[in-house]
Amino acid sequence: MSIIMIVLERINKIFDHGKTPITAVDDVSLRVEKGQIYGIIGYSGAGKSTLIRLLNGLEKPTTGSVTINGQQISAAKGEALRRARLKISMVFQHFNLLWSRTVSENIAFSMQIAGAPKAQIAARVAELIALVGLTGRERAYPSQLSGGQKQRVGIARALANSPDVLLCDEATSALDPQTTDQILELLLDINRRFGLTIVLITHEMHVVRKICDRVAVMENGKVVEEGEVIRVFTHPQQAITRQFVRQVSQYADDEDFDPELTRDLQGSVIKLTFTGHSTHRPVVGELTLRYGLPFNILHGKMTQTANGAFGQLWVHVSASQEQLANILADLQRSDIDGEVIAHG
């Protein structure tokens, strides 16, 4: 049975600066399971940065409640809020390191603030430096580090007090693509090794595809779509979600398929959508043998997520209406979505 780590219940956040109030978060309810990597994606102004500040108590909701690991953060004050924040750590887009402190001193800082003994701090710092791959750079200053190394320090610092939840606010946006993938692999390793719950705020669908289990799509303060990453990729419901999906070069929607390919064809074009184990089945070969019909592959693509592969295939076949209905039924029984998109 899964344990729910984060619960957002009917959250609204209204900023009343000037004559016109601004609704930054509009009636958002979410649940994040313990050990999940949960992505929240949206463009600038969507409300995702305000949402993450609500998660760590830096902002209080106008209405609604935020509960993390059984504690209502939205109602906590003073010492109770300070203790709660020790278990909710943050990784920032621009690193937010102390430039006058070394790598080791940056990592140690939050433990010093928490009053941990010196021996415990030294042991934990050494452990984290090895974990994030910075052995040998302990005495370096931030100005001597690359962007990826700075973010590794930021991650190590965030892990120092053994948090329950790690919040990442555009943690890879300032990095090049190769370094981004390295940081995402590090976060995925940390998640799998320690079962740490991670919430990622991003505007990049590549980040979501690479490591997230579930994703919420935000627009104008609202969550307009939410679900498992594979399901959102293969069946995006909202225009903004389809726009995000098109960001990922390995995968896009029907716009990748050229209708001109069907102009002179007699018969039907079927779009097959595969997820999980079905990506490994010789489906076209099976259909050819079963129905004695030639299936012509027109176009195809496949990509990988943290929880399995998915892809799409466009095939042409000249079949009777009865055969076509049976083919679609066979596909459904094999957990493959089949849709007739053109008739020649």
Side-chain angles (χ1 to χ4, degrees):
M1 183 177 176
S2 60
I3 298 171
I4 304 300
M5 176 61 74
I6 300 172
V7 178
L8 279 70
E9 198 72 44
R10 303 297 299 271
I11 291 292
N12 288 278
K13 179 62 182 178
I14 301 171
F15 292 101
D16 195 6
H17 301 315
K19 296 180 180 179
T20 307
I22 298 171
T23 302
V25 177
D26 189 354
D27 195 26
V28 169
S29 296
L30 292 174
R31 278 166 168 71
V32 180
E33 293 180 8
K34 183 177 181 179
Q36 265 187 344
I37 302 182
Y38 195 100
I40 299 173
I41 190 168
Y43 291 117
S44 296
K48 58 189 189 300
S49 292
T50 300
L51 192 63
I52 205 170
R53 290 172 63 84
L54 291 165
L55 287 174
N56 61 15
L58 290 175
E59 296 282 358
K60 296 288 186 183
T62 305
T63 60
S65 63
V66 178
T67 304
I68 296 182
N69 202 18
Q71 182 173 5
Q72 194 174 120
I73 302 299
S74 52
K77 298 179 181 178
E79 181 63 20
L81 181 58
R82 190 191 72 83
R83 287 198 307 271
R85 281 183 181 153
L86 289 176
K87 293 298 182 180
I88 308 168
S89 285
M90 190 92 148
V91 179
F92 303 90
Q93 178 180 359
H94 296 295
F95 321 124
N96 286 20
L97 302 181
L98 299 169
W99 294 87
S100 62
R101 290 175 174 254
T102 64
V103 167
S104 291
E105 290 166 346
N106 265 283
I107 297 170
F109 186 67
S110 62
M111 295 186 72
Q112 293 168 345
I113 296 296
K118 287 186 177 179
Q120 181 183 337
I121 292 174
R124 182 64 171 158
V125 168
E127 176 188 350
L128 290 169
I129 284 174
L131 175 67
V132 300
L134 288 175
T135 302
R137 304 295 285 162
E138 295 90 338
R139 296 179 182 175
Y141 288 89
S143 61
Q144 300 170 307
L145 302 176
S146 67
Q149 289 172 329
K150 290 172 189 172
Q151 198 56 288
R152 288 173 186 271
V153 177
I155 292 169
R157 178 187 57 189
L159 296 175
N161 286 309
S162 301
D164 296 321
V165 174
L166 182 64
L167 306 176
C168 299
D169 189 4
E170 300 280 8
T172 61
S173 294
L175 305 175
D176 62 76
Q178 183 178 358
T179 306
T180 290
D181 281 350
Q182 292 170 353
I183 294 299
L184 293 177
E185 289 292 343
L186 174 61
L187 290 172
L188 189 59
D189 178 61
I190 290 167
N191 166 261
R192 288 174 173 171
R193 190 179 300 194
F194 303 111
L196 181 64
T197 305
I198 299 176
V199 178
L200 283 166
I201 301 293
T202 185
H203 65 272
E204 299 172 295
M205 203 60 167
H206 170 74
V207 172
V208 171
R209 178 186 68 83
K210 188 86 174 175
I211 67 171
C212 292
D213 300 304
R214 293 184 73 88
V215 61
V217 183
M218 289 195 72
E219 185 177 27
N220 298 324
K222 293 180 175 289
V223 170
V224 296
E225 194 159 348
E226 194 275 344
E228 293 181 357
V229 169
I230 287 182
R231 180 57 54 181
V232 170
F233 260 89
T234 54
H235 298 86
Q237 301 299 306
Q238 302 296 321
I240 190 171
T241 310
R242 291 191 288 272
Q243 192 172 339
F244 277 123
V245 168
R246 286 196 294 271
Q247 285 183 359
V248 184
S249 60
Q250 296 96 325
Y251 184 86
D253 63 11
D254 295 358
E255 292 181 12
D256 270 0
F257 177 70
D258 185 359
E260 289 295 313
L261 292 172
T262 68
R263 171 174 289 184
D264 299 320
L265 295 177
Q266 297 299 313
S268 302
V269 176
I270 308 173
K271 183 179 75 172
L272 284 63
T273 301
F274 305 79
T275 59
H277 69 277
S278 63
T279 59
H280 302 294
R281 289 192 53 188
V283 176
V284 175
E286 290 176 356
L287 292 174
T288 299
L289 291 173
R290 184 171 302 151
Y291 292 96
L293 298 172
F295 284 78
N296 180 26
I297 296 174
L298 303 176
H299 180 69
K301 57 200 175 183
M302 187 175 291
T303 195
Q304 188 73 33
T305 72
N307 293 307
F310 65 91
Q312 290 182 327
L313 194 66
W314 284 258
V315 298
H316 166 259
V317 63
S318 293
S320 67
Q321 287 299 315
E322 182 181 355
Q323 288 174 320
L324 201 56
N326 290 334
I327 288 168
L328 294 176
D330 283 345
L331 290 170
Q332 188 174 19
R333 282 190 288 270
S334 298
D335 293 325
I336 297 169
D337 289 339
E339 178 187 0
V340 178
I341 62 168
H343 288 287

